[in-house]
Amino acid sequence: MINAIITGVGHYVPERVVTNHDLAKVMDTNDEWIQERTGIVERRHIEPGSKISSTDLGVKAAEIALKDAGITAQDIDFILFATLSPDYYFPGNGVLVQKALGCKTIGAMDIRNQCSGFVYALSTADAFIKSGKYKNILVIGAEVHSFGLDMSDEGRGVSVIFGDGAGAVIVSATTEDRGIISTNMHSEGEYAEELAVLFPGTRLGWSDEVMKEGHGITKKELYPHMNGNYVFKHAVTRFPESIIEALTEAKLKPEDVDLFVPHQANLRISQFVQKQLGFPDEKVFNNIQKYGNTTAASIPIALSEAKAAGKIKQGDTVLMTAFGAGFTWGSVLIKW
């Protein structure tokens, strides 16, 4: 039987640190307000005007993951790139990574599932590996949110949350009795507009007429819109459901999990879910305090940091769960 294991991990974040106090200088907010509601202390943003893209960040994370796995770009036979902040409207970032790394003329696919993007990508990689189609898949989650945030008082409820960064893993085929042991993916499109960026897109149109003054395109369409309380309510419901589903499929219980790496959306969500499932603090890895919500990049960044900190060893059962726009959610359970 072929199993899919993670053989390499890596992450990269911009050097520029943006603290809550920095944000308080440009909008009506403060450190206490942000920490109380999100747990975030600081985040990373690219330098204004630098034109650093999500592909650029993803390539740096991928290079670290390749080195960690002990392979080269020539060994990669498929690329999966999860992002909500692509370099271009089209083509996708996956092909840009293929070019930048000098991979062979392999397939590359972009995954547009926002905060759940990395879980969806990892689940897809698992299926490809187990089918025998590919042997080494590069999975990247990368975001540059800072280019599209409303840094005014009107946008503070969303803009204080998000940061830039990238994480990557190498998923490889093995005949060892370890690797990804269960996955699940779900969606509930009924609530798609509760967390969304509406423009550009074909529903509103994209032409000279759309961009004319007075046409009706406002900040609500241009910038991220989030019904925060609504998202929180659904997240704390779907997180545990997905976790129990993954554990049940693997015939395991919450106490069998060695490390829980949740999507870093909001520290309060992670703490709520942790309490519900009975995970002790030492079995949960959070780093949202340093990076904010990096959407598709948040789980691989956290996974990379957890491994570097010695919190993951071979044979450990590691659980990754995400919930985000769409609504979409899911889990990946792996025996490391």
Side-chain angles (χ1 to χ4, degrees):
M1 179 180 289
I2 300 174
N3 288 320
I5 61 171
I6 293 177
T7 54
V9 299
H11 74 280
Y12 179 83
V13 294
E15 293 183 5
R16 181 177 173 232
V17 177
V18 178
T19 68
N20 293 342
H21 297 293
D22 292 329
L23 294 180
K25 297 174 183 177
V26 297
M27 63 179 74
D28 184 15
T29 190
N30 58 71
D31 178 64
E32 183 182 3
W33 187 90
I34 297 172
Q35 286 204 51
E36 180 182 342
R37 287 161 178 79
T38 69
I40 299 168
V41 178
E42 60 187 38
R43 72 286 294 145
R44 302 297 180 96
H45 286 172
I46 63 169
E47 290 290 342
S50 66
K51 296 186 179 180
I52 293 172
S53 72
S54 49
T55 291
D56 295 331
L57 299 183
V59 167
K60 289 182 179 295
E63 290 172 339
I64 297 169
L66 285 167
K67 184 177 181 180
D68 188 47
I71 63 174
T72 72
Q74 292 295 304
D75 297 309
I76 297 297
D77 41 24
F78 200 73
I79 297 168
L80 290 165
F81 199 120
T83 187
L84 64 73
S85 51
D87 291 26
Y88 310 121
Y89 192 75
F90 70 87
N93 284 13
V95 298
L96 303 179
V97 169
Q98 181 272 334
K99 172 190 175 183
L101 291 178
C103 301
K104 299 173 184 177
T105 54
I106 57 175
M109 181 190 301
D110 280 40
I111 293 183
R112 294 288 305 278
N113 285 88
Q114 295 67 247
C115 295
S116 303
F118 183 75
V119 165
Y120 268 67
L122 201 52
S123 299
T124 302
D126 176 55
F128 274 136
I129 292 290
K130 287 178 177 173
S131 73
K133 182 72 173 178
Y134 302 115
K135 294 182 179 179
N136 294 299
I137 299 178
L138 170 61
V139 180
I140 299 172
E143 306 289 1
V144 175
H145 289 120
S146 60
F147 88 103
L149 296 175
D150 179 6
M151 291 298 187
S152 70
D153 291 349
E154 187 177 352
R156 65 176 181 171
V158 172
S159 297
V160 301
I161 297 171
F162 293 97
D164 305 338
V169 301
I170 308 299
V171 184
S172 302
T174 184
T175 55
E176 295 180 47
D177 185 23
R178 62 189 181 99
I180 295 174
I181 51 180
S182 71
T183 67
N184 62 72
M185 296 175 282
H186 299 279
S187 68
E188 199 168 15
E190 178 182 356
Y191 306 111
E193 284 77 28
E194 299 295 341
L195 177 52
V197 174
L198 303 179
F199 183 83
T202 55
R203 186 170 297 279
L204 293 178
W206 193 358
S207 66
D208 290 343
E209 287 299 315
V210 171
M211 299 306 294
K212 284 182 179 178
E213 186 176 352
H215 186 276
I217 297 298
T218 66
K219 282 187 174 184
K220 183 177 179 181
E221 289 80 37
L222 287 172
Y223 292 113
H225 163 75
M226 180 173 66
N227 185 339
N229 290 334
Y230 207 75
V231 173
F232 187 97
K233 176 183 175 181
H234 281 257
V236 296
T237 299
R238 299 308 190 183
F239 254 91
E241 288 179 353
S242 179
I243 290 169
I244 294 302
E245 180 182 346
L247 291 172
T248 300
E249 182 183 343
K251 296 180 173 59
L252 297 175
K253 298 178 180 179
E255 53 265 34
D256 296 318
V257 173
D258 295 298
L259 189 67
F260 175 43
V261 183
H263 163 55
Q264 305 294 299
N266 184 311
L267 186 61
R268 308 309 165 213
I269 293 176
S270 297
Q271 290 171 335
F272 188 94
V273 174
Q274 175 185 347
K275 184 177 180 180
Q276 279 192 308
L277 274 297
F279 294 137
D281 289 345
E282 62 271 18
K283 287 190 174 185
V284 182
F285 192 86
N286 287 303
N287 62 1
I288 191 172
Q289 301 91 329
K290 296 190 297 180
Y291 303 126
N293 181 348
T294 54
T295 312
S298 80
I299 288 180
I301 290 174
L303 195 67
S304 177
E305 287 203 328
K307 183 174 180 289
K311 294 184 177 295
I312 304 175
K313 61 182 183 297
Q314 187 169 318
D316 280 354
T317 299
V318 179
L319 171 67
M320 294 164 272
T321 304
F323 175 91
F327 290 150
T328 59
W329 65 95
S331 293
V332 173
L333 190 64
I334 182 170
K335 183 178 179 183
W336 201 265

